Amino acid sequence: STSVLFNGGNMLSSQIIQTNIDELKAITKVDLCVYDLGGILLAKTTDMSDVNSALLDGFIESPADSQVIGNHHLLKVWDEGELLYVIIAKGTSEDAYMVGKIAVCQLQNLSIAYKEKFDRNNFFQNLLLDNMLLVDIYNRAKKLHVEVTCPRVVYLIETKSEKDGMISELLKGMFTSQGGDYITAIDESNIILIKNVEADSSYKALEETASTIVAMMNTEAMLNVKVSFGTVVQEIKDVSKSYKEAKMALDVGKIFYAEKDVVAYSTLGIGRLIYQLPVNLCKIFIDEIFGDNDLSDLDEETLTTIQKFFENNLNVSETSRLLFVHRNTLAYRIEKLQKSTGLDLRCFEDALTFKIALMVVNYMKYLESMDY
């Protein structure tokens, strides 16, 4: 497996270092190796078997940036005053020294790039969790070259899968930081996409992006994911607001719109209101409307009938046609429900009450399952 080094936020894999010195060796014919400050060999080209960590003794502590020891040039790799690595180039010639200097420049540039990537990830994680003061948000955004005033929306991709790494890579292939998009995570269940969008982006355009993510995950990773998204915000400081909205949309979607793969905060409707109600008020509401009748006892046929009736705007003829039943059969079912609950679904006000009651019951079931 590839080892990963953390040096003050710096993150370079030994594989990346190996690739770089192999490329230099192929061009210059000069052998190289790289050690960390603990004397651990991170990477080497083929003809460096005579090198060991004893060469570093005294050099790391010395003020010199380079030194010739035996048949080798030793050079230090720094980043903002912090010593990261020691490069050893085989040979005492000026050419060997210059190749060593080129390797130093490459590792310094790579370290800066990886550190910035690491810092950006850390910045967005703290931004989403509201862990930063307003002044720090703007100062760090400027330092990390993150645009402050820019329309953005947060997408939440629920994975619940061991393929999180694959999903992240697929998303990075679709959305890049060059385009102003950033991908991060703050827990093991969800991946977060902070997407740069047009100022006048419509709901339809935002939904299409979410649907594309769902389709891509299904095709490339063979995974069924749920995607939610918040509203578009104009300032970097408000990204956490869009994230909270996306998070609520994901939770509300599980309760009230379980059949949907894409859920938007702006379309939650009554579900969002119910989600914010205290459970004791929900119980009082159900008791007042239905008394001793238990809505959870409704059979599948009755629930399907109710659902289709609502979907067809309380139209008896259209509902009976879609259910393949006679008008009178549907009317009988509705009247039977009216006798048990006191609500006539053909009446808009009663239908609305019943619809809300069903949603409240689903919400209470969800809360009970969470407690369990």
Side-chain angles (χ1 to χ4, degrees):
S1 62
T2 301
S3 65
V4 178
L5 313 171
F6 290 90
N7 302 304
N10 184 353
M11 181 173 65
L12 275 185
S13 71
S14 55
Q15 183 179 335
I16 288 171
I17 296 173
Q18 184 69 55
T19 300
N20 273 268
I21 64 173
D22 282 343
E23 288 174 351
L24 268 176
K25 165 70 184 293
I27 296 167
T28 66
K29 309 305 179 189
V30 173
D31 281 288
L32 300 155
C33 66
V34 181
Y35 280 90
D36 71 6
L37 305 189
I40 296 173
L41 181 66
L42 304 175
K44 69 173 183 176
T45 54
T46 52
D47 193 18
M48 293 294 278
S49 56
D50 59 333
V51 174
N52 58 63
S53 60
L55 279 173
L56 292 118
D57 292 346
F59 177 62
I60 291 176
E61 291 76 20
S62 76
D65 280 342
S66 64
Q67 187 174 335
V68 178
I69 299 178
N71 190 36
H72 301 92
H73 275 287
L74 276 67
L75 303 98
K76 291 176 180 175
V77 180
W78 297 86
D79 177 29
E80 295 184 352
E82 180 185 6
L83 182 58
L84 303 179
Y85 313 113
V86 174
I87 292 175
I88 301 176
K90 189 167 186 176
T92 55
S93 68
E94 185 68 18
D95 287 346
Y97 174 73
M98 291 307 297
V99 172
K101 287 292 287 182
I102 292 169
V104 167
C105 290
Q106 284 191 325
L107 289 192
Q108 281 177 335
N109 290 334
L110 280 169
S111 296
I112 291 167
Y114 271 76
K115 187 171 75 170
E116 183 170 291
K117 182 179 178 181
F118 176 82
D119 286 348
R120 273 187 178 179
N121 192 52
N122 181 265
F123 167 71
F124 279 111
Q125 287 174 341
N126 283 301
L127 180 67
L128 293 168
L129 294 172
D130 285 330
N131 287 341
M132 299 174 68
L133 296 172
L134 189 60
V135 64
D136 291 334
I137 291 174
Y138 286 101
N139 287 339
R140 288 195 64 190
K142 184 178 179 181
K143 184 178 178 182
L144 295 169
H145 310 292
V146 175
E147 199 171 340
V148 170
T149 305
C150 170
R152 292 183 175 95
V153 64
V154 174
Y155 288 88
L156 206 54
I157 299 97
E158 185 184 51
T159 62
K160 290 185 178 178
S161 166
E162 295 177 357
K163 297 182 180 180
D164 283 4
M166 180 194 293
I167 293 169
S168 292
E169 288 307 310
L170 284 171
L171 286 171
K172 286 172 185 175
M174 297 168 67
F175 309 99
T176 64
S177 56
Q178 287 84 355
D181 304 331
Y182 303 98
I183 294 162
T184 187
I186 54 178
D187 58 45
E188 295 178 353
S189 303
N190 307 306
I191 295 172
I192 300 160
L193 167 64
I194 302 166
K195 175 124 184 52
N196 188 350
V197 296
E198 297 294 329
D200 57 350
S201 291
S202 64
Y203 162 75
K204 185 178 180 182
L206 300 177
E207 186 184 37
E208 282 176 0
T209 298
S211 298
T212 301
I213 294 171
V214 170
M216 176 66 77
M217 294 306 152
N218 190 286
T219 304
E220 300 294 332
M222 305 299 287
L223 287 174
N224 294 318
V225 301
K226 284 189 179 293
V227 178
S228 64
F229 57 95
T231 55
V232 176
V233 295
Q234 304 298 323
E235 293 272 339
I236 189 75
K237 65 181 176 64
D238 296 322
V239 166
S240 63
K241 171 179 172 285
S242 187
Y243 165 67
K244 288 170 187 170
E245 292 171 347
K247 197 170 184 303
M248 178 184 281
L250 194 63
D251 289 339
V252 173
K254 290 179 195 172
I255 304 167
F256 304 117
Y257 315 108
E259 73 285 354
K260 290 186 178 181
D261 293 326
V262 173
V263 186
Y265 177 81
S266 60
T267 63
L268 295 177
I270 296 171
R272 173 153 53 103
L273 295 176
I274 294 171
Y275 181 76
Q276 294 172 312
L277 289 175
V279 67
N280 61 315
L281 286 182
C282 294
K283 288 177 179 176
I284 291 169
F285 173 72
I286 295 299
D287 288 342
E288 286 179 352
I289 299 299
F290 298 106
D292 296 331
N293 293 311
D294 190 349
L295 275 183
S296 59
D297 289 340
L298 292 175
D299 58 76
E300 194 63 34
E301 182 184 72
T302 303
L303 286 172
T304 302
T305 300
I306 295 166
Q307 187 63 36
K308 287 294 181 187
F309 194 53
F310 288 155
E311 286 175 6
N312 289 283
N313 300 314
L314 315 185
N315 186 310
V316 174
S317 299
E318 186 62 17
T319 305
S320 60
R321 186 182 70 79
L322 289 172
L323 288 174
F324 302 103
V325 297
H326 194 276
R327 266 183 72 103
N328 293 343
T329 303
L330 180 60
Y332 170 75
R333 291 179 186 176
I334 293 171
E335 287 165 7
K336 184 181 176 183
L337 192 65
Q338 182 183 1
K339 287 178 182 177
S340 64
T341 64
L343 297 173
D344 183 356
L345 299 191
R346 290 164 296 194
C347 167
F348 174 76
E349 193 169 324
D350 284 359
L352 181 61
T353 300
F354 199 94
K355 174 68 174 177
I356 294 172
L358 279 177
M359 294 178 75
V360 170
V361 168
N362 286 337
Y363 175 54
M364 290 170 67
K365 283 181 181 177
Y366 171 77
L367 292 179
E368 287 171 8
S369 69
M370 293 296 288
D371 290 340
Y372 176 78

